[in-house]
């Protein structure tokens, strides 16, 4: 194993997986918001509610489409650079990854297509059912990915045949505490991301004194009132994970806490058990990632508590411009928290790719340093371009506001529609 290849492969996976995760978080959160909004619109039949579905749904579709491409790119580098992992643990990881692929790329994408193109072709209840199926399959997709990741962090339900890991107890793998706690934490974080995103976009329009004041006033309140409970749920699941960390990964817990004596003791134990080697993860990455997550959490907590109070006053929602600026500036905070938490979770388990069973250096593919450098350059360039494209598209459509030329616009010939489109533009009241 060439050390340069290992370092480059780890850097490549960190960039691609972390970049993809940023898309996933907003996608999971926004699809939930859109499904709830459409349920309300379907029941109320109010044009304003339908327009909210179209506007936020348009932003969701943009983020989802670009995120799918990042997922495909990540799969390529995963198979190319980490063949040792699939060879040693593929019998355990393969099933969950295969189910995730079927759920994400077949069921979820199929029903998302029905939702996008069936706006004026499906009945309102069938159209509502389509977005809820998209939402639930997105949750299932996240769950199956975390089943695989949970096994890497806390391997359970496995046996060994001819030196390879095999699936021995599927129920244990599916109910792995490492996966279930992470699943709750990720979903709460996704809703938190969507809440801050909605509040920030709405605050931008209210700050500019948009004539769509009612539309964005309601959206801002939804974002604020969603963020507070989502933040508390994320904190609860995060706390539960910290509680079991000393049992699942005692070295990570000791490094984060800065317990030098405990680190030395665990290093001695692991050397005796697994042979010579450095079993202490990078203190800078482990503690740094955890601290970034906690600092971002503290800032969001103050904003959420203050926001819930401020959002109760209608005039404050529409006219408190300093608050609007704070909400716009706070949009990146959930992303910082998620990336910090991801770095803490993944870097802290080094040097293991499957904790206690397979070292990272044994999982990397036998590639030349030149090949890895080329791969890293190509994948990094693609991801940067996709991230810039996604940011530009989201910003462009968010700034345009709820115009009537995007998602759900009735493009049928004149007279083909049964009456007016319920999502046609409303009169725009002024301040």
């Amino acid at each position: 194993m060439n050390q340069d290849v290992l370092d480059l492969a780890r850097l490549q996976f960190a960039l691609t997986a972390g970049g993809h995760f940023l898309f996933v978080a907003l996608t999971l959160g926004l699809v939930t918001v859109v499904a709830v909004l459409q349920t309300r619109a379907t029941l109320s039949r109010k044009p304003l509610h339908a327009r909210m579905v179209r506007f936020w749904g348009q932003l969701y579709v943009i983020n989802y489409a670009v995120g799918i491409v990042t997922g495909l790119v990540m799969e390529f580098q995963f198979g190319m650079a980490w063949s040792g992992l699939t060879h040693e643990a593929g019998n355990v990881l393969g099933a969950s990854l295969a189910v995730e692929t079927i759920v994400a790329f077949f069921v979820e994408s199929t029903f998302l297509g029905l939702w996008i193109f069936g706006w004026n072709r499906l009945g309102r209840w069938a159209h509502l059912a389509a977005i809820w199926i998209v939402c639930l399959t997105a949750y299932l997709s996240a769950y199956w990915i975390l089943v695989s990741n949970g096994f890497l962090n806390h391997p359970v339900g496995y046996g060994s045949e001819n030196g390879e890991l095999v699936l021995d107890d599927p129920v244990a793998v599916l109910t792995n505490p490492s996966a279930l706690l992470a699943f709750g934490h990720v979903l709460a974080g996704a809703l938190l991301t969507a809440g801050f995103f909605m509040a920030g976009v709405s605050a931008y329009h209210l700050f500019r004194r948009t004539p769509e004041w009612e539309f964005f006033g309601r959206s801002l309140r939804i974002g604020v009132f969603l963020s507070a409970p989502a933040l508390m749920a994320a904190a609860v699941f995060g706390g539960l994970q910290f509680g079991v960390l000393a049992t699942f990964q005692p070295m990570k817990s000791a490094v984060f806490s800065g317990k030098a004596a405990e680190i030395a003791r665990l290093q001695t134990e692991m050397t005796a058990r697994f042979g010579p080697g450095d079993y202490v993860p990078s203190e800078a990455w482990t503690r740094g990632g955890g601290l970034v997550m906690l600092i971002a959490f503290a800032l969001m907590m103050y904003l959420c508590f203050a926001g819930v109070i401020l959002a109760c006053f209608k005039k404050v929602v529409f006219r408190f411009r300093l608050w609007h600026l704070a909400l716009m500036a706070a949009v990146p905070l959930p992303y910082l928290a998620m990336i910090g938490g991801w770095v803490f979770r993944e870097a802290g388990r080094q040097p293991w790719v499957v904790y206690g069973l397979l070292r990272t250096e044994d999982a990397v593919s036998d590639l030349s340093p030149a090949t890895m450098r080329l791969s890293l350059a190509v994948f990094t360039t693609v991801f940067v371009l996709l991230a810039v494209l996604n940011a530009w598209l989201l910003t462009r459509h968010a700034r345009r506001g709820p115009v009537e030329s995007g998602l759900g616009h009735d493009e049928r010939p004149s007279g083909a529609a049964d009456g007016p489109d319920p999502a046609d533009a409303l009169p725009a009241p002024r301040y």
Side-chain angles (χ1 to χ4, degrees), residues 250-427:
M251 182 63 84
K252 181 195 295 186
S253 178
V255 170
F256 180 74
S257 302
K259 300 177 180 178
E262 182 69 7
I263 293 173
R265 184 185 68 81
L266 291 170
Q267 169 66 21
T268 302
E269 287 185 359
M270 299 183 83
T271 300
R273 180 179 176 186
F274 300 109
D278 184 5
Y279 297 96
V280 182
S282 169
E283 182 177 356
W285 284 108
T286 303
R287 297 193 69 188
L291 289 175
V292 167
M293 176 182 63
L294 294 176
I295 292 171
F297 166 78
L299 293 174
M300 289 188 291
M301 181 178 65
Y302 292 125
L303 283 170
C304 286
F305 288 164
V308 167
I309 297 173
L310 294 173
C312 294
F313 300 93
K314 193 171 184 179
K315 288 186 177 180
V316 172
V317 170
F318 296 133
R319 299 186 181 277
F320 192 4
R321 306 187 81 187
L322 183 60
W323 184 36
H324 296 159
L325 287 174
L327 290 175
M328 286 186 276
V331 171
L333 285 178
Y335 291 101
L336 288 176
M338 286 185 298
I339 286 297
W342 180 81
V343 169
F344 172 74
R345 179 176 174 88
E346 301 305 311
R349 78 165 185 261
Q350 292 303 312
W352 302 102
V353 64
V354 181
Y355 196 80
L357 298 176
L358 179 63
R359 299 187 196 190
T360 307
E361 63 184 23
D362 297 324
V364 71
S365 300
D366 184 16
L367 301 172
S368 68
T371 301
M372 279 307 310
R373 290 191 186 96
L374 176 62
S375 173
L376 176 62
V378 171
F379 283 115
T380 302
T381 302
V382 170
F383 263 74
V384 169
L385 291 176
L386 289 174
V388 171
L389 174 64
N390 187 64
W392 177 75
L393 289 173
L394 287 178
T395 302
R396 178 172 179 266
H397 284 271
R399 291 181 63 182
R400 290 176 63 190
V403 296
E404 299 307 315
S405 59
L407 181 70
H409 182 67
D410 194 349
E411 297 179 350
R412 291 175 294 177
S414 178
D418 297 328
D421 184 352
D424 278 344
L426 294 177

Side-chain angles (χ1 to χ4, degrees), residues 217-228:
R218 292 194 181 193
S219 295
L220 186 145
R221 283 182 164 180
I222 291 172
V224 169
F225 289 134
L226 171 63
S227 298

Side-chain angles (χ1 to χ4, degrees), residues 129-283:
I131 190 61
W132 273 112
I133 293 174
V134 172
C135 181
L136 295 176
T137 49
Y139 283 10
L140 285 174
S141 179
Y143 166 74
W144 285 107
I145 284 292
L146 289 169
V147 166
S148 297
N149 184 263
F151 180 81
L152 300 181
N153 281 275
H154 178 57
V156 295
Y158 67 92
S160 180
E161 291 183 6
N162 301 321
E164 298 178 7
L165 302 179
V166 295
L167 183 61
D168 187 55
D169 187 352
V171 175
V173 175
L174 297 177
T175 59
N176 189 344
S178 180
L180 296 180
L181 293 176
F183 179 64
H185 192 60
V186 166
L187 289 190
L191 293 174
L192 178 64
T193 305
F196 268 71
F197 180 78
M198 288 187 70
V201 172
S202 302
Y204 167 81
H205 286 275
L206 293 174
F207 181 82
R208 299 188 63 194
R209 294 291 190 257
T210 175
E212 296 278 4
W213 60 271
E214 183 180 6
F215 183 101
F216 287 108
R218 292 194 181 193
S219 295
L220 186 145
R221 283 182 164 180
I222 291 172
V224 169
F225 289 134
L226 171 63
S227 298
L231 181 69
M232 293 299 100
V236 169
F237 281 106
L240 291 174
Q241 290 184 88
F242 266 109
V244 299
L245 191 60
T247 302
F248 291 171
Q249 296 180 6
M251 182 63 84
K252 181 195 295 186
S253 178
V255 170
F256 180 74
S257 302
K259 300 177 180 178
E262 182 69 7
I263 293 173
R265 184 185 68 81
L266 291 170
Q267 169 66 21
T268 302
E269 287 185 359
M270 299 183 83
T271 300
R273 180 179 176 186
F274 300 109
D278 184 5
Y279 297 96
V280 182
S282 169
E283 182 177 356

Side-chain angles (χ1 to χ4, degrees), residues 4 46 90 101-102 116 130 135 170 180 210 239 289 315:
D4 289 341
K46 292 183 178 180
T101 301
I102 294 172
I116 293 173
C135 181
L180 296 180
T210 175
K315 288 186 177 180

Side-chain angles (χ1 to χ4, degrees), residues 7-202:
D7 292 339
L8 291 170
R10 290 183 61 193
L11 177 60
Q12 179 177 264
F13 188 79
L15 293 174
T16 55
H20 177 63
F21 185 50
L22 296 179
F23 290 90
V24 171
L26 184 58
T27 295
L28 279 175
L30 272 184
V31 71
T32 309
V33 171
V34 171
V36 173
L37 287 175
Q38 184 161 344
T39 301
R40 186 178 183 185
T42 302
L43 295 174
S44 69
R45 305 300 297 272
K46 292 183 178 180
L48 177 61
H49 296 159
R51 295 178 71 223
M52 293 177 72
V53 176
R54 290 170 60 170
F55 176 70
W56 297 111
Q58 180 75 55
L59 296 174
Y60 156 69
V61 170
I62 291 171
N63 194 75
Y64 177 89
V66 182
I68 283 292
V69 180
T70 64
L72 292 172
V73 175
M74 188 184 70
E75 292 292 338
F76 278 114
Q77 67 86 37
F78 181 74
M80 182 187 72
W82 300 99
S83 60
L85 174 61
T86 54
H87 177 75
E88 298 293 334
N91 291 322
V92 179
L93 301 176
S96 57
L97 292 176
V99 172
E100 188 277 332
T101 301
I102 294 172
V103 169
F105 290 98
F106 289 93
V107 181
E108 183 181 0
S109 299
T110 298
F111 280 92
L112 179 60
L114 290 174
W115 184 75
I116 293 173
F117 299 107
W119 196 281
N120 299 290
R121 295 171 176 82
L122 297 175
R124 60 191 181 110
W125 294 107
H127 195 243
L128 176 63
I131 190 61
W132 273 112
I133 293 174
V134 172
C135 181
L136 295 176
T137 49
Y139 283 10
L140 285 174
S141 179
Y143 166 74
W144 285 107
I145 284 292
L146 289 169
V147 166
S148 297
N149 184 263
F151 180 81
L152 300 181
N153 281 275
H154 178 57
V156 295
Y158 67 92
S160 180
E161 291 183 6
N162 301 321
E164 298 178 7
L165 302 179
V166 295
L167 183 61
D168 187 55
D169 187 352
V171 175
V173 175
L174 297 177
T175 59
N176 189 344
S178 180
L180 296 180
L181 293 176
F183 179 64
H185 192 60
V186 166
L187 289 190
L191 293 174
L192 178 64
T193 305
F196 268 71
F197 180 78
M198 288 187 70
V201 172
S202 302

